[in-house]
Every structure is written in C-alpha cells, then in structure tokens.
Amino acid sequence: LVGIASSGPHSNGYSLVRRILQRAGNPLHLDLGGVTLADALMEPTRIYVKPVLELLAKHDIHAMAHVTGGALVEKIIRVVPEEFGLEIDASSWPLPPVFDWLQREGAVADAEMWRTFNCGVGFVLVVPQSAVAAVSAGLDAQGLAHRAIGQVVRLPGGAGDGERVHIG
C-alpha cells in the first residue's frame, strides 16, 4: 500500500471538526507550524486524477482508493478481494499538525480518527512489492509526498469484515 499525502482534511469529517472548533472556542488563528488552523482546515482538496493516470500508464497498479468518507478503515478495503485484508502501519507516516490538533483538542480516539479523517493519506495505490520503488520514483517525479503504509495480507478462513483492516 502506497499512500499519497493529502492536502488536509479534504471534505470529510467536518461535522466533527465544527464540534471540536466550537468546544475549543474557534481558535482559527492558532499557528500550526506556520499555517493557521483556519488555513489548514480550508486547504483545497488535492486532486489525484492526472498524477494517477500517468502512473497507471507506466506501472503495475492492482487497485486504488481515494481516502474520503469512511477514511482509512472503510475506503481502501473496498478495492481488495474478500479473502484479503489490510495491515496498515500508522507509524509509517507523520500525522499532520491539523489532525494532531483535532485529535488532541477533541479527545478523539485513534479508531475514530481512522474512520473519520484521512489522517494525511489522501489516496492509496495497491501495488505489488516489486513495483513499490518504481511507483515511488514516479510519485517523486511528480512532486507528490508518499509513503509505503502497509500491505495486503491473505486472511484466515472465516474472517469477518470487521477483521479485515488492522491499523496499528
């Protein structure tokens, strides 16, 4: 799983964002590493179409997922056959400051963060291990930040949907 960085929350989780902002007293001018909270929350959604089309023309990409509603827990698994699951390593990418603030200020549990927000991963490419370096080089050439964030794994027989995605 190669995760391409998001530009921010994109358009997901704003009901929760509004509740957290209200509880915090709407500190929209708060500095989050050189960017105000307002600017971080309003950063336009990155559009991945052109870069991904370029990658598709050159590389073996098995599946892809735009990390939107349902975020890391529900979106990526939709493109993976039922006999497989996902092992995602949350420590493989840094949690951007806007998400760190939302989690701390809202006392949002990790599981809810992964279900509600992209947490800095806006698009995921499912590629064979042998293609990770080439796909990474293609993303580097396009100036897109990315990380290997996990892998697809074969599940034991009888695993239910709730057991298909492990983030740790």
Side-chain angles (χ1 to χ4, degrees), residues 126-149:
V126 181
V127 302
Q129 185 64 41
S130 61
V132 170
V135 168
S136 291
L139 290 165
D140 286 339
Q142 295 182 53
L144 289 173
H146 61 282
R147 305 269 177 131
I149 64 167

Side-chain angles (χ1 to χ4, degrees), residues 74-153:
E74 297 173 11
K75 286 305 263 197
I76 307 166
I77 198 64
R78 292 180 187 171
V79 300
V80 176
E82 288 185 22
E83 64 270 18
F84 295 97
L86 303 173
E87 292 288 340
I88 298 174
D89 178 5
S91 69
S92 64
W93 74 94
L95 187 65
V98 67
F99 297 109
D100 181 57
W101 182 86
L102 287 166
Q103 185 170 30
R104 281 185 295 104
E105 192 63 40
V108 182
D110 286 344
E112 182 65 16
M113 289 294 292
W114 297 322
R115 192 187 68 72
T116 304
F117 300 112
N118 66 52
C119 295
V121 179
F123 202 90
V124 173
L125 303 171
V126 181
V127 302
Q129 185 64 41
S130 61
V132 170
V135 168
S136 291
L139 290 165
D140 286 339
Q142 295 182 53
L144 289 173
H146 61 282
R147 305 269 177 131
I149 64 167
Q151 61 187 349
V152 176
V153 295

Side-chain angles (χ1 to χ4, degrees), residues 34-94:
V35 176
T36 66
L37 177 59
D39 287 342
L41 290 171
M42 299 305 293
E43 181 68 27
T45 299
R46 176 169 286 139
I47 305 300
Y48 301 95
V49 174
K50 288 181 182 178
V52 169
L53 285 173
E54 188 174 316
L55 291 169
L56 282 168
K58 298 176 182 176
H59 303 285
D60 184 15
I61 297 175
H62 291 180
M64 52 195 152
H66 193 217
V67 183
T68 58
L72 297 168
V73 174
E74 297 173 11
K75 286 305 263 197
I76 307 166
I77 198 64
R78 292 180 187 171
V79 300
V80 176
E82 288 185 22
E83 64 270 18
F84 295 97
L86 303 173
E87 292 288 340
I88 298 174
D89 178 5
S91 69
S92 64
W93 74 94

